[in-house]
Amino acid sequence: MTQVTRARELSPPERVQPFTDAVVAIALTLLILPLMDSVGELADHDGTTAQWLAEEQFALLGFGLSFVLIAVFWVHHHKIFRSVKRVDPGLLWLTVAWMFTIVVMPVATSLSTQMESDWAQPLVYIGTLFATSLMLLLTRTYLRSHPDLHDMAEGEAVMGIRASGIVSGLFLAALVLAVAIPGAGNWPLLLMLLSEALQRLDRARIRRASAQEDLKN
């Protein structure tokens, strides 16, 4: 009996990119809705702008932080897809999973800024950020193992995976600290300030190793 091998379904990325852009835009817009609601509620009680700023200072901080983080994630996802020429089912579902984590961010932000503080808030917020970064890492890893989907150079693919691994590792470390230290809140996210420095050290180490390898040859 002749075995028929089914070819992978490949499609151009032009339909995926606008869809992810739209999802990110909606998520960014949803971040502001709780603040809009609070303006209306305070206006009904003849509140002032100064009063609103004082009462919503933590919500404003959470909004700004989440807005920047989602924007950074989108920039990195956009950078990845600049090299993508074809999309297969595996890459498509990884993209869908990444979009799911982006859509959850407004909910995680509201829980972190609108509710009474408890142990679950940093777990949900930092956990969502870790999941988003992990999806980017898995996407890069998947693309490296499927070179027919992109025109990314091998060195660039490896460096992207290493950089994403550092970011995911820092988010995971922040999540562990948030769980291990009750009351730490989202402060463990300050670990992310180490991201750029660690990536530079990693790139420098790779350059040194490459130079030593060239000298041996």
Side-chain angles (χ1 to χ4, degrees), residues 95-170:
T95 303
V96 170
W98 178 80
M99 287 190 291
F100 174 80
T101 66
I102 292 294
V103 170
V104 171
M105 273 302 298
V107 178
T109 303
S110 290
L111 288 173
S112 185
T113 59
Q114 303 292 325
M115 308 287 284
E116 290 294 327
S117 179
D118 65 4
W119 63 269
Q121 285 180 352
L123 184 64
V124 173
Y125 189 74
I126 302 177
T128 302
L129 293 170
F130 168 65
T132 308
S133 66
L134 181 62
M135 288 302 104
L136 286 180
L137 174 59
L138 292 177
T139 298
R140 286 188 176 278
T141 304
Y142 186 84
L143 285 172
R144 190 195 174 197
S145 64
H146 295 79
D148 59 316
L149 299 180
H150 62 90
D151 59 5
M152 196 182 307
E154 174 66 11
E156 182 184 354
V158 171
M159 291 302 298
I161 291 173
R162 296 177 70 91
S164 291
I166 289 172
V167 172
S168 293
L170 287 173

Side-chain angles (χ1 to χ4, degrees), residues 209-217:
S210 178
Q212 292 174 358
E213 187 67 24
D214 290 341
L215 289 175
K216 290 179 181 178
N217 296 332

Side-chain angles (χ1 to χ4, degrees), residues 9 24 27-28 51 115 140 162 197:
E9 296 180 3
V24 171
L28 290 173
Q51 183 182 353
M115 308 287 284
R140 286 188 176 278
R162 296 177 70 91

Side-chain angles (χ1 to χ4, degrees), residues 21 33 64 75-76 80 83 102 105 108 114 117 150 176 202 217:
D21 291 347
L33 292 184
V75 167
H76 284 285
I80 293 172
S83 301
I102 292 294
M105 273 302 298
Q114 303 292 325
S117 179
H150 62 90
V176 171
D202 185 57
N217 296 332

Side-chain angles (χ1 to χ4, degrees), residues 5-200:
T5 302
R6 186 176 180 181
R8 277 189 304 157
E9 296 180 3
L10 301 177
S11 58
E14 284 74 19
R15 294 187 63 185
V16 177
Q17 291 173 297
F19 185 53
T20 56
D21 291 347
V23 168
V24 171
I26 292 171
L28 290 173
T29 304
L30 290 175
L31 287 174
I32 200 68
L33 292 184
L35 290 171
M36 295 294 295
D37 291 340
S38 65
V39 170
E41 292 173 3
L42 192 58
D44 291 339
H45 295 84
D46 298 322
T48 65
T49 300
Q51 183 182 353
W52 180 79
L53 289 172
E55 291 180 358
E56 301 297 331
Q57 54 183 317
F58 294 111
L60 286 167
L61 180 61
F63 163 75
L65 177 62
S66 294
F67 190 98
V68 170
L69 288 171
I70 291 176
V72 170
F73 282 131
W74 173 78
V75 167
H76 284 285
H77 192 271
H78 185 70
K79 183 177 180 180
I80 293 172
F81 263 75
R82 282 207 304 258
S83 301
V84 173
K85 303 304 176 185
R86 287 167 291 276
V87 177
D88 70 352
L91 181 58
L92 181 61
W93 282 108
L94 280 171
T95 303
V96 170
W98 178 80
M99 287 190 291
F100 174 80
T101 66
I102 292 294
V103 170
V104 171
M105 273 302 298
V107 178
T109 303
S110 290
L111 288 173
S112 185
T113 59
Q114 303 292 325
M115 308 287 284
E116 290 294 327
S117 179
D118 65 4
W119 63 269
Q121 285 180 352
L123 184 64
V124 173
Y125 189 74
I126 302 177
T128 302
L129 293 170
F130 168 65
T132 308
S133 66
L134 181 62
M135 288 302 104
L136 286 180
L137 174 59
L138 292 177
T139 298
R140 286 188 176 278
T141 304
Y142 186 84
L143 285 172
R144 190 195 174 197
S145 64
H146 295 79
D148 59 316
L149 299 180
H150 62 90
D151 59 5
M152 196 182 307
E154 174 66 11
E156 182 184 354
V158 171
M159 291 302 298
I161 291 173
R162 296 177 70 91
S164 291
I166 289 172
V167 172
S168 293
L170 287 173
F171 274 123
L172 180 59
L175 179 60
V176 171
L177 283 176
V179 173
I181 306 175
N186 293 328
W187 286 107
L189 283 175
L190 289 174
L191 284 175
M192 299 311 301
L193 296 175
L194 299 174
S195 176
E196 186 60 31
L198 290 176
Q199 291 181 47
R200 288 181 180 177

